[in-house]
Amino acid sequence: MSLFGHRDYRHLFGAQLVALFGTGLTTVALGLLAYDLAGSDAGAVLGTALAIKMITYVTVAPLAVAYAATGCRAVSSSSRWTRSARWWCSPCPSSTRSGRSTS
């Protein structure tokens, strides 16, 4: 329970809970909408919608990681969050993620 003593961790944990709740609620709402729109063919509609969702996750996630690793210099460097994550935003083939030199 000592992790919850850290303010940043509590906020991150709470945000993750809200995000998970929202994702579950969205899936249920999508199922109800598919049934409302297609009736007996709701399975096909829901399957197509969830397949599109998964394909988007699988294709967009690697692109987002690649952008974050190479192209996030447009983010203001004065931000407290940017300063703490500068190791992520400044790609350097000769350094590791911790910012220490590998040579």
Side-chain angles (χ1 to χ4, degrees):
M1 288 311 234
S2 66
L3 284 176
F4 291 106
H6 299 283
R7 179 182 173 271
D8 290 339
Y9 181 78
R10 278 194 316 269
H11 288 183
L12 181 64
F13 189 80
Q16 183 66 31
L17 286 178
V18 170
L20 286 172
F21 179 75
T23 300
L25 194 61
T26 300
T27 304
V28 170
L30 187 59
L32 292 173
L33 179 65
Y35 181 75
D36 191 38
L37 292 175
S40 63
D41 292 331
V45 172
L46 185 59
T48 303
L50 292 176
I52 291 170
K53 178 179 146 184
M54 283 298 117
I55 290 169
T56 303
Y57 283 167
V58 168
T59 58
V60 171
L63 295 175
V65 169
Y67 171 76
T70 61
C72 63
R73 293 187 189 277
V75 177
S76 170
S77 62
S78 64
S79 166
R80 175 172 76 126
W81 301 109
T82 305
R83 283 194 307 269
S84 65
R86 190 168 290 149
W87 59 269
W88 180 260
C89 293
S90 54
C92 179
S94 66
S95 66
T96 63
R97 294 264 172 180
S98 66
R100 296 185 186 132
S101 177
T102 56
S103 53

